[in-house]
Amino acid sequence: MIELGVNIDHVATLRQARRTYEPDPVIAAAMAEQGGADGITFHLREDRRHIQDRDVELLLRTVSVKTNFELACADEVVGIACRLRPTWALLVPEKREEVTTEGGLNVLADRGRVAASIAQLREAGILVSLFLDPDPAQVAAAAELGSDAVELHTGPYALARGEEQQAELERLRVAAAETTAAGMRVHAGHGLNYTNVRPVAAIPAMVELNIGHSIVSRAVFVGMREAVAEMRRILDVVAPRG
C-alpha cells in the first residue's frame, strides 16, 4: 500500500488571490480525508503567500489523519512547528522569487542549519523528512543527520518525456533503494499527477506520495472528495492495501 498525502496549499492560493475567507483549506483537508487521504500536507512559507498561521493552528486541531508540515530551516517557522507538533516536519528549500519549490534541499552545503532544525524538531517529538533531489550524496547526508525519511523530488521526472523521463525514473529508483538501505522511509512528491504517478508508486521502496496541485486542479471540476478518491484508486491498483 502507498500512503497518499494531499497537499492543500493551492486551496489557500485561490483564497489569497482575493485575500478573503474562501475557499477554506481547513474544509478542503476534511474533504480530502473523506476521499481517502492518509495525510494532509501544508507549507507555511516565510512570506505567507498561501497557508496562513490561522490555517496551521486549525489544521493541527481538526485533522484526524497524520499531518505533514512543510517548512524552511527558518527559526520562526521551526518554532511554530515545535509548538504545534505535527506528525511530520518536511524541511524544504525556500526562495521568495520562486513560484513553487524548484529543487531539493542542499544538505551538503547547508549542513549546520539543517542539523539544527532536525535536532529542534525531533526534540519536540516530531518525525523529520528532508525534501531532496535523487542524489546519493544528499541521501547519505540525510542519514548522517538522523532524518526519519527522505522525500524525493519528482519534479524533473514529471517534466521529462521519453527516454529522459525513464532516466529520471531510474534516478528515483536508485535513490529510493539507498534511502531504504540507510534506514529511512521513502516518500516522493512534486509534479505528480493522475497520468505520471503510476511508475513512481511502483518503485519497490516507496511508502508515501505527497500530491497537491494536480488533486486541487481536479477538485475544481469534481470536488475535493472525489479528486482524492480517484488518486487513491490509482494507487490501490499499483500497490493494493494489505
Side-chain angles (χ1 to χ4, degrees):
M1 169 190 159
I2 302 291
E3 297 172 17
L4 173 61
V6 176
N7 187 315
I8 56 169
D9 290 351
H10 293 303
V11 176
T13 298
L14 182 56
R15 178 193 61 193
Q16 295 307 112
R18 287 289 185 93
R19 300 192 182 280
T20 182
Y21 58 87
E22 61 183 1
D24 191 333
V26 178
I27 295 174
M31 297 185 73
E33 285 191 53
Q34 292 170 12
D38 300 294
I40 301 297
T41 295
F42 47 90
H43 184 176
L44 185 66
R45 296 183 69 109
E46 290 185 85
D47 63 10
R48 305 302 199 269
R49 69 174 64 171
H50 39 56
I51 293 292
Q52 304 297 300
D53 295 61
R54 165 267 185 198
D55 302 328
V56 179
E57 296 270 358
L58 288 176
L59 287 165
L60 267 295
R61 275 191 261 157
T62 59
V63 170
S64 60
V65 293
K66 66 184 176 183
T67 47
N68 184 31
F69 187 148
E70 285 190 38
L71 67 162
C73 296
D75 291 342
E76 180 212 5
V77 188
V78 171
I80 292 170
C82 289
R83 175 173 61 84
L84 296 177
R85 298 189 177 184
T87 315
W88 284 89
L90 172 60
L91 293 173
V92 301
E94 199 172 290
K95 292 186 289 188
R96 294 294 174 93
E97 66 273 15
E98 67 189 0
V99 174
T100 186
T101 306
E102 294 176 346
L105 197 64
N106 191 338
V107 183
L108 297 171
D110 203 11
R111 191 182 184 94
R113 276 208 318 157
V114 175
S117 296
I118 291 174
Q120 284 180 259
L121 293 162
R122 295 197 74 182
E123 186 176 350
I126 303 165
L127 295 165
V128 179
S129 178
L130 304 185
F131 184 71
L132 303 180
D133 292 324
D135 178 340
Q138 297 289 351
V139 170
E144 289 170 9
L145 294 183
S147 183
D148 298 288
V150 165
E151 178 160 327
L152 295 173
H153 178 212
T154 52
Y157 160 80
L159 292 173
R161 296 293 180 270
E163 291 183 5
E164 183 184 350
Q165 187 173 63
Q166 290 306 306
E168 291 294 342
L169 182 61
E170 183 58 25
R171 289 183 67 211
L172 292 168
R173 288 194 187 106
V174 169
E178 291 172 341
T179 299
T180 298
M184 299 178 289
R185 280 172 52 115
V186 182
H187 303 172
H190 203 77
L192 296 177
N193 59 40
Y194 297 86
T195 302
N196 64 24
V197 71
R198 292 173 179 82
V200 176
I203 293 174
M206 194 60 63
V207 175
E208 175 180 318
L209 297 178
N210 286 297
I211 305 173
H213 187 263
S214 177
I215 288 176
V216 173
S217 298
R218 179 68 176 151
V220 170
F221 300 102
V222 303
M224 179 62 81
R225 186 184 302 125
E226 177 57 25
V228 173
E230 288 176 6
M231 185 62 77
R232 180 72 269 168
R233 288 193 289 270
I234 291 172
L235 298 185
D236 287 345
V237 169
V238 177
R241 291 174 181 260

